[in-house]
């Protein structure tokens, strides 16, 4: 039913940019809060950025000013624009969707690897 399919990961040099995409299918896009998480080896998965059904955005401190989350409701797709990338941004990035109103049902994308290295 509900599926999240990610794309856009890859290898970039420090200071470079990358845009991740996450397409939702099987439900109505505006019934969800959307977010991007990342997990580096040996570390806990952490929230990077989120956008609510109403369009409000939040960012983790390490990416503030460098990353931007956005959405295209018609395409049922959420994006993460990543600029000024640093080696410490290297991680597997996961798309997440939480179903309104109680936000207790959630779905995950398959994960996409982002590697920042020269």
């Amino acid at each position: 039913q509900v599926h999240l399919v990610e794309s856009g990961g890859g290898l970039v040099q420090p200071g470079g940019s990358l845009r991740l995409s996450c397409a939702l299918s099987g439900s109505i896009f505006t019934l969800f809060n959307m977010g991007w998480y990342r997990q580096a080896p040996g570390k806990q998965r952490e929230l990077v950025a989120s956008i609510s059904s109403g369009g409000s955005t939040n960012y983790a401190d390490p990416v503030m000013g460098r990353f931007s989350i956005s959405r295209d409701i018609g395409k049922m797709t959420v994006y993460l624009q990543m600029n000024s990338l640093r080696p410490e941004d290297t991680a597997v990035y996961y798309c997440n969707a939480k179903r309104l109103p109680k936000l207790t049902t959630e779905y995950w994308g398959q994960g996409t690897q982002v590697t920042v290295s020269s």
Side-chain angles (χ1 to χ4, degrees):
Q1 286 183 278
V2 176
H3 296 282
L4 300 174
V5 179
E6 301 178 33
S7 62
L11 174 65
V12 295
Q13 294 184 338
S17 297
L18 210 59
R19 189 179 76 160
L20 306 182
S21 299
C22 173
L24 182 147
S25 63
S27 190
I28 301 174
F29 189 67
T30 51
L31 294 178
F32 297 87
N33 290 342
M34 305 296 296
W36 288 96
Y37 292 72
R38 68 185 182 187
Q39 188 167 26
K43 299 190 68 177
Q44 195 170 28
R45 188 172 299 186
E46 64 177 354
L47 178 66
V48 176
S50 64
I51 184 166
S52 73
S53 178
S56 299
T57 59
N58 284 285
Y59 298 93
D61 287 343
V63 308
M64 187 77 70
R66 300 187 297 121
F67 291 10
S68 179
I69 188 170
S70 62
R71 64 181 179 177
D72 187 324
I73 295 175
K75 294 181 178 179
M76 297 198 297
T77 299
V78 63
Y79 304 94
L80 185 67
Q81 179 67 46
M82 303 183 292
N83 299 323
S84 302
L85 282 162
R86 305 166 180 169
E88 52 263 43
D89 295 318
T90 296
V92 178
Y93 284 70
Y94 296 92
C95 180
N96 173 269
K98 292 184 172 66
R99 177 71 156 82
L100 273 66
K102 298 187 71 173
L103 306 177
T104 54
T105 299
E106 64 181 343
Y107 303 90
W108 292 94
Q110 80 278 11
T112 184
Q113 177 71 47
V114 172
T115 302
V116 184
S117 177
S118 58

